[in-house]
Amino acid sequence: MRPLVVVLSLALFSGCQGNRDQLLADLQSPRPEVRAHAVKSLAKQGNAEDLVLFSRAAKDMASIVRGEAAAALGESQDPRVVDLLGELLEDADEDVQGRAAMALAKVKNDKAKAYLTLQYGRRGRKTRQIIVQALKTANVPGAMAESVAAESKAIWDRNLLALNEGTLPERVGAAEELGKSGRPEAINRLLPLVRDSQVVMAAAAVRGLGDAGDRRAVPAILLLLDESFPDLREASIGALRKLQDPSSVQKLQAVAVEKSAVSALATDAIAALPRTPETEKALCTIAIEGARKEAIDAARAMRTKGCPLEPIIESLSRNSGVESGLQAVIGLGPSAQGALPKVLPLLTSSDSVQRMLAVEAVAAIGDASAAPALQKLYEQELKAIEGPRQDWVTAALPQVYGSGFDPSAPAAESEDSQGHKDGAKGSKQVQLFERVRALNAQRAREAGRVLVQPRVPTELYDDVEPLSLQPLAAVLRALGAVKAPGALELLKGYAGDPNVTLRTAGLVGLARLGPEGVEAAKGGMYEAERDLQKALAEALAQQGEAGQAVLVSMLPQFASEKLVLLDALNQFGAPASASEALQAVVREGGAEAVLAASVLGRLKAKDAVPTLSKALDEPASVARREVLLALGEIGDTQAAEVVARDLYHDQPEVRFAAASALQKIGTPAQGEALDALKSDYYRRVRDAASAALAKNGTAAEGAR
């Protein structure tokens, strides 16, 4: 028996040795998958002398090999491999980073743990999740909380160093970042800097204080509104808007009515404050005393509640105050109905500016009783432009370019170095371009997209100045707004006008006439002029479901122009039936998905949850923040798990969106991660995480 055992042992050793020799040979294979398999197989054999082979494989050009090398180094549990695994944790490939993190967890010494906590703040979402998992595997208590705290400390130390010792651009960036932390120490450091001799530094400190969210900074910032530096004043207004302190209303009102470059910002800041009698009074004052844009914006902000009409009517009665009163009426719209008797006589004013403002005011009120006065003014304005609009080219203009005049076509022929014309080459180029155009047209038709035909430039056949057509255009829009008798047929005539100013006015006027007008106007969305598209899209969206449904139906037919449609739907709302079309936009990705996701969130479209959840699988999605917020608005608990993954995201605005969404979804399952984010560097993230935990209460406590 003994000789037989020896023979079998020798045979087994010989077989293993032969297999090992093959694996060693495979390490030199030109195929990455063969090298990776060899590393994996050698690791299973557990030979200490193979550590040098794994260290060499960790430098391999192929990520699949480096990943197997990381796993093999971890299995060795040799403290000498910690630095090499630390390098692999910074690998360009996320899969290699993850395997290196799990390998470090197997070493289980302080140095390995230090690598993991250090790299948490430098890696993306996927690796950060694995790092937390690795720390838990290594029995580190409060793994995520410790990692978040380490990241927070590193960011603070870096910004503090830059503020104290950096160059001016570095100090500016550090001041803003310190403010975002919201720490009391940051506020104490930034407050003295608001009086820095460098305006750019002072403005950065003010912006930082605005992000800090501590109202103790308000008195110091209010003083800066008296400065003459526009950048500093702009930063101060932005900070006051974020701080939401009612005590800033009077100062902001003074800036809003001074008619300066920052007055519009001050008006917006007041409108963004919580509504109180003080803010409402300020907005109504700006509506009368502010410059045109600020006055209309302030009055529009008060359109629902309305402003006292006595000061506006009094202003309309004074020659010096007519324009101010009309601006207030334009912004207030239907809520200024009582001022209509004072506005109507101004339609016949000899002052063209007052007359234009009166037309806009009548359109904003939208009362049908103004129709006769507008019709009379229409005839007057039409007569004023008849002369300049007379065609001096009576024959029909060609709709295509003549040979050799099309700027988008290649030259029909070229010359060589000897001056000989190469007609054949030019002819081939023309044919090639024509084939490309034909193919593009066919694809557009198959996709259901409408091809826009360019119009003949108006300067070829009339001498009218665009500004001289504005009064007539305003009357056309107003006729639609008051739904004047006969307006439908009249505006249809202008919907095809060669001049873009009148064509836009005709289409917008049609959109204001209700469903029949919407149907007549919708074809204008296929115009090539972007300003026309934007004005018409907004007019359609303002008409409620009838106009909004038209915009939704057009989404599949538009390519890059989808932004015009989506922006209008985002501003004025969309019907519930829009969900499927909006989901298609989200699936396509790109900038359009940002607006589509926002609209879906406002619609609370539960059927969109799978689409929005899937969109989060795209690492480079530009709409990630909006998708998360949309899922929060919808509030479906099925999305909680996929939303919670972004609590690990490396971008603070995404972590904030994820925590905010979880607060609205209301699931306690993510209590541990949310609790860890209470140590996040950024104040907004901390506040959102605390709010989410507070809503879930005891259930969240139990999850920790």
Side-chain angles (χ1 to χ4, degrees):
M1 285 293 294
R2 190 172 180 180
L4 179 59
V5 172
V6 172
V7 170
L8 289 174
S9 298
L10 290 172
L12 182 61
F13 174 77
S14 176
C16 291
Q17 188 63 33
N19 181 48
R20 179 175 175 79
D21 290 341
Q22 182 60 50
L23 291 175
L24 293 173
D26 286 345
L27 288 176
Q28 307 302 318
S29 172
R31 296 170 57 188
E33 65 273 17
V34 174
R35 299 198 301 275
H37 180 266
V39 172
K40 185 176 182 179
S41 299
L42 286 170
K44 290 179 180 178
Q45 294 182 1
N47 292 329
E49 63 268 21
D50 289 340
L51 199 60
V52 65
L53 301 177
F54 302 148
S55 299
R56 190 179 304 144
K59 306 290 185 181
D60 196 278
M61 294 293 292
S63 60
I64 187 175
V65 180
R66 297 197 301 275
E68 290 295 347
L73 290 168
E75 290 295 336
S76 72
Q77 298 186 12
D78 192 319
R80 294 175 298 173
V81 304
V82 170
D83 288 328
L84 184 53
L85 287 172
E87 291 179 20
L88 289 174
L89 196 52
E90 299 183 56
D91 196 274
D93 188 275
E94 277 195 335
D95 290 333
V96 176
Q97 295 174 15
R99 301 196 74 171
M102 295 307 296
L104 281 167
K106 293 181 180 180
V107 178
K108 295 182 180 178
N109 62 19
D110 290 341
K111 190 174 184 181
K113 174 188 166 184
Y115 267 117
L116 289 169
T117 53
L118 173 67
Q119 289 299 324
Y120 179 87
R122 301 178 179 178
R123 304 273 71 87
R125 184 192 72 176
K126 182 178 178 181
T127 303
R128 287 159 77 107
Q129 282 183 282
I130 297 175
I131 286 174
V132 171
Q133 181 185 346
L135 288 169
K136 289 180 178 179
T137 303
N139 298 319
V140 175
M144 184 175 177
E146 184 170 339
S147 299
V148 171
E151 178 189 27
S152 180
K153 183 179 184 304
I155 297 174
W156 173 265
D157 291 343
R158 182 173 67 245
N159 288 323
L160 197 59
L161 181 65
L163 184 71
N164 293 331
E165 302 179 13
T167 61
L168 180 60
E170 290 172 339
R171 294 181 68 223
V172 166
E176 295 186 18
E177 286 298 309
L178 284 172
K180 291 176 183 177
S181 74
R183 296 184 181 186
E185 185 182 347
I187 297 163
N188 294 336
R189 287 180 177 274
L190 293 176
L191 274 174
L193 293 177
V194 300
R195 288 292 180 180
D196 195 274
S197 58
Q198 296 276 359
V199 173
V200 66
M201 189 67 228
V206 170
R207 286 191 290 270
L209 288 168
D211 287 325
D214 193 323
R215 291 184 178 178
R216 290 180 299 164
V218 169
I221 296 174
L222 284 174
L223 294 174
L224 299 176
L225 294 178
D226 297 326
E227 295 285 347
S228 58
F229 302 105
D231 289 347
L232 188 54
R233 301 183 82 204
E234 181 178 338
S236 301
I237 294 169
L240 291 170
R241 177 173 180 163
K242 291 178 180 178
L243 291 170
Q244 295 280 289
D245 192 324
S247 67
S248 61
V249 172
Q250 287 189 349
K251 272 282 192 179
L252 287 171
Q253 177 187 323
V255 176
V257 299
E258 71 185 17
K259 302 179 181 180
S260 68
V262 295
S263 293
L265 296 175
T267 303
D268 292 342
I270 295 174
L273 291 173
R275 287 301 165 84
T276 63
E278 289 75 17
T279 57
E280 291 174 358
K281 182 180 178 181
L283 289 169
C284 290
T285 301
I286 298 167
I288 298 176
E289 299 180 9
R292 181 173 302 180
K293 183 183 184 305
E294 292 81 73
I296 293 175
D297 288 348
R300 188 171 283 124
M302 289 296 295
R303 180 171 284 196
T304 302
K305 194 157 188 180
C307 288
L309 290 181
E310 291 78 8
I312 296 174
I313 293 173
E314 181 186 348
S315 182
L316 291 171
S317 303
R318 291 183 285 105
N319 288 335
S320 60
V322 169
E323 292 183 19
S324 298
L326 289 172
Q327 289 165 183
V329 173
I330 292 170
L332 289 170
S335 65
Q337 172 78 29
L340 184 61
K342 285 288 185 181
V343 174
L344 286 177
L346 296 172
L347 292 175
T348 59
S349 172
S350 58
D351 187 315
S352 60
V353 175
Q354 290 183 9
R355 196 165 61 248
M356 276 275 290
L357 288 172
V359 172
E360 292 183 37
V362 168
I365 294 172
D367 192 283
S369 64
L374 285 172
Q375 288 170 327
K376 186 175 181 180
L377 181 60
Y378 164 72
E379 294 172 2
Q380 178 184 326
E381 296 293 351
L382 183 62
K383 190 173 294 185
I385 64 165
E386 278 181 352
R389 291 208 84 198
Q390 286 292 330
D391 291 349
W392 51 269
V393 177
T394 56
L397 293 173
Q399 299 299 309
V400 295
Y401 286 97
S403 177
F405 288 93
D406 189 346
S408 64
E413 55 184 22
S414 58
E415 296 183 359
D416 59 19
S417 56
Q418 283 77 36
H420 301 299
K421 292 183 178 180
D422 188 1
K425 181 179 179 181
S427 177
K428 287 181 180 178
Q429 287 180 333
V430 171
Q431 292 175 7
L432 179 61
F433 271 79
E434 288 176 352
R435 287 178 62 188
V436 170
R437 288 193 190 115
L439 285 171
N440 288 338
Q442 181 180 348
R443 286 172 185 158
R445 284 192 296 272
E446 290 173 353
R449 293 175 183 160
V450 178
L451 290 175
V452 178
Q453 297 299 327
R455 292 177 178 268
V456 178
T458 56
E459 60 266 22
L460 295 179
Y461 55 83
D462 71 28
D463 292 326
V464 69
E465 290 290 334
L467 285 176
S468 66
L469 296 176
Q470 290 295 344
L472 178 59
V475 175
L476 293 175
R477 291 191 294 268
L479 287 170
V482 302
K483 297 177 174 54
L488 182 65
E489 293 305 318
L490 175 68
L491 294 172
K492 279 182 178 179
Y494 283 97
D497 195 276
N499 188 282
V500 67
T501 301
L502 296 181
R503 193 161 70 251
T504 302
L507 290 165
V508 170
L510 279 171
R512 294 173 173 177
L513 286 173
E516 193 175 357
V518 166
E519 186 65 26
K522 68 180 184 180
M525 285 303 302
Y526 299 110
E527 289 275 357
E529 287 82 2
R530 192 60 175 266
D531 289 341
L532 184 153
Q533 282 186 331
K534 187 174 187 298
L536 180 55
E538 291 180 358
L540 289 169
Q542 286 175 322
Q543 301 315 302
E545 188 167 348
Q548 293 162 9
V550 166
L551 296 177
V552 171
S553 68
M554 291 179 175
L555 281 173
Q557 304 173 32
F558 280 69
S560 59
E561 298 85 358
K562 277 189 177 72
L563 283 172
V564 175
L565 306 175
L566 291 166
D567 186 52
L569 293 170
N570 191 44
Q571 286 186 66
F572 303 104
S577 58
S579 177
E580 185 52 47
L582 293 168
Q583 288 182 57
V585 176
V586 172
R587 285 191 288 267
E588 291 172 5
E592 294 83 1
V594 174
L595 291 173
S598 296
V599 179
L600 283 169
R602 273 200 294 278
L603 288 175
K604 300 188 183 299
K606 284 190 176 292
D607 62 311
V609 170
T611 298
L612 292 169
S613 299
K614 187 174 178 58
L616 293 176
D617 292 337
E618 174 54 51
S621 172
V622 297
R624 180 172 297 276
R625 177 178 176 275
E626 286 70 21
V627 168
L628 289 166
L629 293 174
L631 287 169
E633 290 293 332
I634 296 169
D636 193 325
T637 54
Q638 294 181 5
E641 183 178 350
V642 69
V643 168
R645 295 175 194 162
D646 279 316
L647 295 175
Y648 296 85
H649 205 278
D650 53 306
Q651 295 180 12
E653 61 270 20
V654 175
R655 298 198 297 276
F656 163 76
S660 299
L662 286 172
Q663 177 192 358
K664 294 180 179 179
I665 291 172
T667 173
Q670 310 302 329
E672 181 181 359
L674 287 168
D675 189 62
L677 290 183
K678 288 164 65 178
S679 300
D680 198 278
Y681 175 81
Y682 294 93
R683 178 187 64 84
R684 292 185 72 204
V685 180
R686 296 197 303 272
D687 290 350
S690 297
L693 285 169
K695 180 174 181 180
N696 294 317
T698 307
E701 295 288 337
R704 292 202 293 275

